[in-house]
Amino acid sequence: MEPRDGRGHRCVPHTADVRIEAWAPDREGCVAEAVAALVESFTDAAGARPAAEREFHAPAAGDEDLLVGVLDEVIFRLETADELPLSTEVADDGAGGLLVRWRTTASGEVELTGAVPKAVSLHELRFGGDGTGWSCAVTLDV
């Protein structure tokens, strides 16, 4: 996937699993777009209202590990707390990690439209930046 102008995300065809792509001018924006793509891969959140605000700190790690850590946390919170992010803000914590803020809702407040991801696959994981911005491609095990 080539980085694009602005921010965005999409699901792309993939055998048996779900593949998402995201892009943004910076690393943090790309992580936020990847979270949106993950949630949109199996829900329609139109009309859902945020019920809570949550924070997550991803400790210092390589860029790919940070991305996987944030996406894994979304899946974990869905499974254990029945929470889904409706919006995501990501900031550099100044120490090599990320501070993530979510506005969340219960999964029952959104329409499920696909298989719920069970894990983030490391196979064919891509995340990085160049002179035009940051992009990632992630396979989600369903």
Side-chain angles (χ1 to χ4, degrees):
M1 183 187 103
E2 294 180 26
R4 303 156 191 247
D5 293 334
R7 293 174 65 131
H9 58 269
R10 67 181 179 178
C11 290
V12 294
H14 190 270
T15 307
D17 292 316
V18 173
R19 185 118 171 122
I20 59 173
E21 295 178 345
W23 57 92
D26 56 27
R27 178 182 72 157
E28 294 77 16
C30 191
V31 171
E33 288 294 331
V35 170
L38 182 153
V39 173
E40 289 176 16
S41 75
F42 68 98
T43 69
D44 179 356
R49 303 256 187 250
E53 292 188 20
R54 303 287 185 242
E55 285 191 1
F56 171 67
H57 179 251
D63 294 328
E64 288 182 347
D65 291 335
L66 287 170
L67 174 64
V68 170
V70 171
L71 297 177
D72 277 342
E73 184 69 13
V74 172
I75 294 169
F76 174 76
R77 288 175 185 241
L78 173 62
E79 292 174 350
T80 62
D82 190 38
E83 292 180 338
L84 276 174
L86 294 176
S87 66
T88 303
E89 295 176 11
V90 181
D92 188 316
D93 72 356
L98 296 174
L99 179 59
V100 183
R101 290 186 177 96
W102 286 299
R103 296 183 74 203
T104 65
T105 192
S107 63
E109 298 299 314
V110 300
E111 178 183 351
L112 296 180
T113 59
V116 177
K118 300 296 179 203
V120 177
S121 174
L122 300 180
H123 182 69
E124 297 182 346
L125 173 69
R126 290 186 290 111
F127 184 44
D130 62 20
T132 63
W134 283 73
S135 65
C136 68
V138 180
T139 301
L140 305 171
D141 296 331
V142 294

